[in-house]
Amino acid sequence: FLHDPNVKAFLTLNTLIFSDELPEVATFVRGIAEAGVDAVIVQDVGLVRLIREIAPSLPVHASTQMTLTEPRGIAAVASLGIDRVVLARELSVREIRAVTSATDMPVEVFVHGALCVAYSGQCLTSEALGGRSANRGQCAQACRLPYEMIVDGQPRDLGDKAYLLSPQDLAAYELVGDLIDAGVVSFKIEGRLKGGPYVAASTQTYRQAIDSSLRGERFQPTRQQELDLAQTFSRGLTPGFLEGNDHQRLV
């Protein structure tokens, strides 16, 4: 269905795999390969090795859950047969440029959608508080809850600020040209549990941003595009870490 209109299918298998699940995963991988999936996105290094044995020609992309932030880590996964790396979301454009200049690996980055308050792939909060592991695709989003702050045993008056760990959502359409110049070859839009209007609004906006940048023009979204992005899903929009660390702006 996807290949008929010339659309590629990347399948996410980016959770940690337990040993007793390996036979079932092996069967699943064979099904993925037979279905003609164009690439599988993986976090678990052991699973990468398994895929290489079962389906050597199936491209494997390193998930942002691998927390790859520098060329040595990329070199390590390249030795396993990884074809593309999705960098961790904590890097600035300047840092991304430093990575791409030191590796031949195609690099992909997130440009839009929900951000995690923890390092990509390194959150144990959900599991610790609720027994649901974010690294198993079951994140309970504990960072999205309101919290009180206790300082030296006394509650701190925060006024109307209660969501102390909840980042705003990433929106990097104004940085698309900078990311292309930095050597990024593919942009990823986060879409967990999102609906069709969100997918349409975000992909349309970034398609135009890419085309404008390739023409040498600075992209400026229309007011309607900004409204569509905000109304389909938004906790407020931020460039995330792409312009460097600014925690008060991020959360």
Side-chain angles (χ1 to χ4, degrees), residues 41-249:
I41 305 171
V42 178
Q43 171 187 14
D44 192 304
V45 175
L47 178 58
V48 176
R49 295 181 185 275
L50 183 67
I51 293 170
R52 291 271 62 86
E53 291 183 14
I54 294 174
S57 62
L58 177 63
V60 179
H61 295 179
S63 168
T64 190
Q65 298 287 101
M66 278 194 183
T67 329
L68 294 170
T69 59
E70 45 81 38
R72 290 170 300 177
I74 293 174
V77 298
S79 68
L80 302 176
I82 295 289
D83 298 276
R84 180 187 297 184
V85 164
V86 185
L87 293 178
R89 283 177 263 193
E90 290 73 45
L91 298 179
S92 67
V93 175
R94 178 180 59 82
E95 291 165 332
I96 292 169
R97 188 187 304 274
V99 170
T100 60
S101 66
T103 180
D104 295 327
M105 177 73 71
V107 165
E108 180 173 326
V109 299
F110 276 88
V111 291
H112 196 85
L115 287 170
C116 180
V117 74
Y119 278 106
S120 299
Q122 300 293 323
C123 183
L124 298 175
T125 307
S126 176
E127 184 173 22
L129 294 180
R132 293 171 52 183
S133 172
N135 295 313
R136 295 276 291 169
Q138 299 172 326
C139 176
Q141 298 193 313
C143 59
R144 305 300 182 188
L145 301 175
Y147 286 91
E148 295 177 318
M149 181 181 288
I150 308 297
V151 181
D152 295 331
Q154 300 298 318
R156 173 70 58 87
D157 183 8
L158 299 173
D160 61 354
K161 296 179 180 178
Y163 294 89
L164 304 183
L165 302 178
S166 181
Q168 297 189 81
D169 292 329
L170 175 63
Y173 45 77
E174 294 181 347
L175 298 173
V176 162
D178 296 333
L179 290 167
I180 292 174
D181 291 341
V184 175
V185 302
S186 180
F187 296 137
K188 186 177 288 293
I189 295 172
E190 183 274 331
R192 182 179 189 246
L193 301 178
K194 304 298 192 299
Y198 168 88
V199 174
S202 56
T203 53
Q204 179 192 58
T205 298
Y206 284 90
R207 177 74 266 165
Q208 291 185 16
I210 293 168
D211 293 342
S212 294
S213 297
L214 295 178
R215 292 193 301 267
E217 302 170 0
R218 193 74 182 178
F219 175 71
Q220 181 61 47
T222 65
R223 177 58 176 159
Q224 187 59 52
Q225 284 176 316
E226 291 178 336
L227 287 172
D228 288 344
L229 289 174
Q231 291 175 349
T232 52
F233 190 88
S234 173
R235 301 180 184 91
L237 300 178
T238 170
F241 291 96
L242 290 172
E243 293 183 347
N245 291 342
D246 186 346
H247 300 303
Q248 295 303 318
R249 186 182 186 189

Side-chain angles (χ1 to χ4, degrees), residues 17-30 50 54:
I17 305 300
F18 294 154
S19 297
D20 61 354
E21 296 170 333
L22 287 173
E24 183 180 358
V25 171
T27 301
F28 190 63
V29 168
R30 292 187 185 95
L50 183 67
I54 294 174

